[in-house]
Amino acid sequence: MTGSIVLIHAVRSSRTMWTGQTRRLRRRGFQVIAPDLPGHGMRRAEPFTLEGALATIEEAVAACDEPPVLVGLSLGGYLTLHWASRNPDRLEAVVAADCTIVPGPATARLYGLWISMKDWLPGDSDARVERAFARRHSRKAARRYYGGGRAHGVVRTVVRTISSLDLLADVATIDVPLTFLNGEHDPFRRHEALFLEAARDGELVILDDAGHIANLSRPKRFAKVLRRVATGERIPQPLSP
């Protein structure tokens, strides 16, 4: 179907979280573009805005040699769904990972406030957070997730932005194959049935023993899903290692 793939990262991370998938896919001959969103990675000095994030996706898609598979995880997944809904005929397929929950405005505000307050706690240092991430995943996963630095001051704006979107309406307008890719233990799976029902041409893939950042929990299997989506194959369930 396509030889181009665009990868959009999660909140507070950067393009470095895709290092494993980028290497595997490029070895298979794919063109892979993984930009930093505003407020993240090499662009941490910039404010995060919805307009800036969508412009980042636009630039990445425009740089592809052919209509790509657009892939996003968590924050990147929500942005991917929204951009795809506004840009028909620009993509070959969409993969939205670990983002099948509809965040209500009140819940989003509380979550953003809680995360922002944690930033001011003396024990919530970047080093401590990276160590905690490594305990849940691995040291390599932690290095990749925070390889571009840990973005500060973006969470409240991010959750306010995402909670303002009509995500199910966005899903309903996407006119290319849409794969929802969730980790088995991801708490953001709560509304996956609603997302799947809203999709015109959707499928749901669950990665066994994976958490919210599924590409780091199961990097090889995650890359296999992207490769199969890009080549137009249907993905068997359960997905073999």
Side-chain angles (χ1 to χ4, degrees):
M1 291 176 64
T2 183
S4 299
I5 299 175
V6 172
L7 304 171
I8 307 299
H9 64 77
V11 69
R12 282 192 159 175
S13 187
S14 69
R15 70 177 72 189
T16 64
M17 69 172 277
W18 297 114
T19 299
Q21 287 73 45
T22 298
R23 288 177 178 172
R24 288 181 175 89
L25 293 167
R26 284 178 177 166
R27 282 201 299 265
R28 294 275 185 163
F30 289 97
Q31 176 192 29
V32 182
I33 298 176
D36 284 336
L37 292 169
H40 297 77
M42 298 295 290
R43 303 172 65 187
R44 277 181 290 165
E46 301 177 32
F48 176 88
T49 65
L50 178 60
E51 294 75 16
L54 297 179
T56 299
I57 298 176
E58 168 68 32
E59 183 178 357
V61 171
C64 291
D65 295 336
E66 53 190 315
V69 176
L70 179 59
V71 182
L73 189 147
S74 194
L75 165 62
Y78 291 127
L79 294 171
T80 286
L81 293 172
H82 190 58
W83 190 91
S85 73
R86 294 155 58 104
N87 290 273
D89 305 320
R90 300 283 305 280
L91 303 172
E92 194 68 30
V94 173
V95 177
D98 298 323
C99 63
T100 49
I101 188 170
V102 181
T107 302
R109 283 196 299 271
L110 288 173
Y111 177 78
L113 178 62
W114 175 65
I115 293 295
S116 298
M117 289 177 62
K118 285 186 66 183
D119 281 344
W120 295 98
L121 297 177
D124 196 55
S125 67
D126 290 349
R128 187 196 67 79
V129 169
E130 186 168 338
R131 287 195 299 270
F133 193 94
R135 286 194 296 271
R136 290 195 304 272
H137 300 276
S138 69
R139 290 182 180 179
K140 180 186 287 187
R143 288 196 301 269
R144 288 180 174 174
Y145 195 78
Y146 293 115
R150 180 174 174 238
H152 291 271
V154 298
V155 173
R156 292 184 72 178
T157 302
V158 164
V159 295
R160 185 169 60 247
T161 297
I162 299 306
S163 67
S164 72
L165 304 178
D166 190 340
L167 295 163
L168 294 178
D170 286 341
V171 168
T173 64
I174 294 173
D175 58 357
V176 296
L178 173 54
T179 299
F180 298 106
L181 177 55
N182 289 336
E184 179 185 9
H185 306 298
D186 178 23
F188 282 51
R189 289 183 59 189
R190 181 177 179 183
H191 298 135
E192 63 187 18
L194 295 179
F195 280 78
L196 191 60
E197 182 181 2
R200 297 183 185 183
D201 181 11
E203 66 175 342
L204 174 65
V205 178
I206 304 300
L207 294 186
D208 293 342
D209 299 322
H212 178 55
I213 310 298
N215 79 304
L216 294 176
S217 298
R218 292 292 178 265
K220 293 180 181 179
R221 281 186 261 177
F222 198 101
K224 182 183 289 187
V225 172
L226 302 190
R227 191 173 72 247
R228 287 178 169 171
V229 170
T231 56
E233 298 180 41
R234 300 304 288 184
I235 299 167
Q237 291 281 9
L239 185 68
S240 61

